């Protein structure tokens, strides 16, 4: 009978705490500093709401739908209510610990989306998406890739969620932005980020938490975890410098918001490849991720005039999709990577990466479109113009983040 690896179990529990720390308070503060002062509490509320709703959904049937066996498209309900997990090991750790770790991924994915429509969305819509979106989008895609579904059967590589987390959240965010519409005054009459310092603090928490996000995905305290953490760190550093350098050349000043956004772009881009590549491969991916995501932010907001408030699609969606394709090259042994599954080469690996990214993006777009269209007559999509002017903190929650005396 297999035994529990206590070292790996301790590491996975710590990694679970780190990934939850990414959402609360990391992502909440990162997003909160970027919005106007009158909308800070609303962003924090959205992140807490997502955490509460998704945690219970995951425990009741989400974990089972992803990892409870089943077919090519979705799992079963054999492990609903976190029952029948036993006390034995799954991948060397107690299955309840594995379920906890995966829960934190299910939490942060829809939490990423709330940044796209901040400062104008109804709280009732956020509740609806927190409940329905993980069921309709996250659970199936996670099963395809990590739960033994069709993509896993064809040897797709997604070490920690470039497809499952970042592609689904990014594409869904873009669809939500199109359907909900821009903030009043976009793109010329908008308040600047009210607290870049808060955003930098949140970004630091995200960076640290990402060690658990990517390193924990090795599911063991081993060399794979170590390589994933080093790759994570180097990609963030390279992407942050790349973004800052581009800003410096374009506007003459590197900004605090720019460097931390670049770091997050590098983290998102390296995520699917982190456990499969060499350290210098991570540097290359970070540079590419910083440049590609910077360009995407300009294209989305300036060319297409889409008000993705906190650049969720440009940073997470584009970064996740780019990294999911780059892994086909940088996992090659010639570049220091771990190599491919038996019978797979660069061409076949790139093919399944592209097919899975396309399938996840298409499913996310169609499902999110349907969910928001269904919600429109039930919950409404956005607050009134007066409420938007007053700020969601006061209009929705009857509170203010700051006492101005």
């Amino acid at each position: 009978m297999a035994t529990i690896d206590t070292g790996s179990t301790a590491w996975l529990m710590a990694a679970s705490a780190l990934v939850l720390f990414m959402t609360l308070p990391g992502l909440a503060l990162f997003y909160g500093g970027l919005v106007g002062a009158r909308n800070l509490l609303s962003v924090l509320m959205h992140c807490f709401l997502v955490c509460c709703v998704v945690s219970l959904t995951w425990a009741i049937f989400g974990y089972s739908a992803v990892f409870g066996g089943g077919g090519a498209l979705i799992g079963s309900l054999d492990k609903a209510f976190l029952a029948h997990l036993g006390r034995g090991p799954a991948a060397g750790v107690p299955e309840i610990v594995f379920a906890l770790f995966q829960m934190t991924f299910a939490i942060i994915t829809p939490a990423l989306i709330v940044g796209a429509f901040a400062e104008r969305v109804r709280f009732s819509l956020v509740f609806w998406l927190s409940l329905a979106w993980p069921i309709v989008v996250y659970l199936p895609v996670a099963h395809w890739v990590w739960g033994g579904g069709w993509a896993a059967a064809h040897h797709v590589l997604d070490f920690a969620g470039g497809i499952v987390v970042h592609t689904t959240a990014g594409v869904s965010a873009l669809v939500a932005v199109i359907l909900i519409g821009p903030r009043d005054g976009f793109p010329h009459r908008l308040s600047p980020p009210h607290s870049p310092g808060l955003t930098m603090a949140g970004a630091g928490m995200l960076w640290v938490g990402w060690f658990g996000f990517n390193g924990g995905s090795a599911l063991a305290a081993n060399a794979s975890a170590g390589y994933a953490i080093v790759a994570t760190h180097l990609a963030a550093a390279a992407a942050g410098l790349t973004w800052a350098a581009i800003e410096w050349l374009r506007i003459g000043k590197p900004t605090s918001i720019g460097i931390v956004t670049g770091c997050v772009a590098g983290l998102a881009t390296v995520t699917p490849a982190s456990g499969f590549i060499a350290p210098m491969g991570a540097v290359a991916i970070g540079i590419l991720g910083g440049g590609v995501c910077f360009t995407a932010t300009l294209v989305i907001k300036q060319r297409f005039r889409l008000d993705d408030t906190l650049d969720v699609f440009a940073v997470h969606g584009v970064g996740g999709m780019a990294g999911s394709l780059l892994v086909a090259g940088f996992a090659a042994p010639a570049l220091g990577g771990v190599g491919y599954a038996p019978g797979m080469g660069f061409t076949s690996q790139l093919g399944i990466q592209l097919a899975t990214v396309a399938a996840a993006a298409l499913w996310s777009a169609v499902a999110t479109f349907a969910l928001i269209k269904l919600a429109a007559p039930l919950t409404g999509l956005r607050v009134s113009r007066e409420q938007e002017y007053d700020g969601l903190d006061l209009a929705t929650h009857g509170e203010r983040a700051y006492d101005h005396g």
Side-chain angles (χ1 to χ4, degrees):
M1 181 178 177
T3 58
I4 291 175
D5 184 325
T6 55
S8 294
T9 300
W11 163 235
L12 201 59
M13 288 191 290
S16 301
L18 285 170
V19 181
L20 182 60
F21 183 71
M22 290 173 67
T23 303
L24 302 173
L27 185 69
L29 295 180
F30 179 76
Y31 280 175
L34 291 170
V35 298
R38 62 186 185 276
N39 292 302
L40 170 59
L41 289 181
S42 72
V43 171
L44 303 186
M45 279 287 290
H46 293 167
C47 290
F48 271 85
L49 175 70
V50 168
C51 181
C52 293
V53 173
V54 175
S55 296
L56 295 178
T57 302
W58 185 257
I60 294 169
F61 61 84
Y63 174 74
S64 186
V66 177
F67 296 104
L73 299 179
I74 195 67
S76 70
L77 294 178
D78 291 347
K79 297 182 179 181
F81 303 101
L82 298 182
H84 310 299
L85 302 189
R87 302 276 174 170
V93 302
E95 190 173 1
I96 190 66
V97 176
F98 175 74
L100 170 66
F101 179 67
Q102 292 296 337
M103 178 191 291
T104 61
F105 279 68
I107 291 168
I108 197 171
T109 307
L112 293 173
I113 300 173
V114 304
F117 42 62
E119 302 193 300
R120 60 195 183 276
V121 70
R122 285 185 176 272
F123 190 71
S124 53
L125 178 63
V126 178
F127 177 81
W128 164 250
L129 290 178
S130 300
L131 179 63
W133 187 89
I135 297 171
V136 178
V137 178
Y138 183 83
L139 299 185
V141 177
H143 179 76
W144 299 350
V145 176
W146 291 336
W150 65 269
H154 287 85
H155 308 298
V156 71
L157 296 178
D158 187 4
F159 192 78
I163 299 171
V164 176
V165 175
H166 297 288
T167 298
T168 59
V171 171
S172 297
L174 184 64
V175 172
V177 164
I178 293 170
L179 294 178
I180 294 171
R183 288 166 290 175
D184 186 39
F186 177 83
H188 303 297
R189 294 183 292 106
L190 295 175
S191 301
H194 90 280
S195 180
L198 204 62
T199 293
M200 294 192 81
M205 295 172 188
L206 284 170
W207 192 333
V208 171
W210 227 294
F211 283 16
F213 195 86
N214 290 351
S217 293
L219 304 180
N222 59 14
S224 180
Y227 270 91
I229 291 173
V230 170
T232 300
H233 188 66
L234 293 177
L241 289 177
T242 299
W243 196 295
I246 295 172
E247 278 193 330
W248 207 341
L249 291 172
R250 285 180 58 89
I251 64 175
K253 295 179 180 179
T255 67
S256 61
I257 297 298
I259 194 170
V260 296
T261 303
C263 290
V264 173
L267 291 164
T269 307
V270 81
T271 287
S274 55
F276 303 126
I277 59 175
M280 291 304 102
V283 173
I285 286 178
I287 294 171
L288 291 170
V292 169
C293 293
F294 181 92
T295 303
T297 61
L298 299 182
V299 171
I300 293 298
K301 283 189 171 175
Q302 295 183 12
R303 178 175 298 179
F304 292 107
R305 301 286 181 173
L306 295 176
D307 187 15
D308 183 350
T309 309
L310 307 182
D311 299 315
V312 179
F313 175 74
V315 173
H316 294 280
V318 172
M321 289 186 282
S324 298
L325 301 181
L326 289 171
V327 67
F330 286 98
L335 295 178
V338 301
Y340 309 114
M344 299 289 285
F346 170 75
T347 303
S348 56
Q349 191 66 61
L350 182 60
I352 187 57
Q353 298 299 122
L354 183 59
T356 308
V357 167
L362 180 61
W363 178 246
S364 299
V366 171
T368 303
F369 180 88
L371 289 174
I372 293 178
K373 284 295 186 181
L374 180 62
L378 301 176
T379 68
L381 300 184
R382 55 186 299 157
V383 298
S384 68
R385 188 173 183 178
E386 292 75 19
Q387 290 173 320
E388 187 176 339
Y389 177 81
D390 291 338
L392 301 190
D393 290 2
L394 189 62
T396 302
H397 307 296
E399 301 170 293
R400 297 184 188 274
Y402 303 105
D403 182 1
H404 298 291

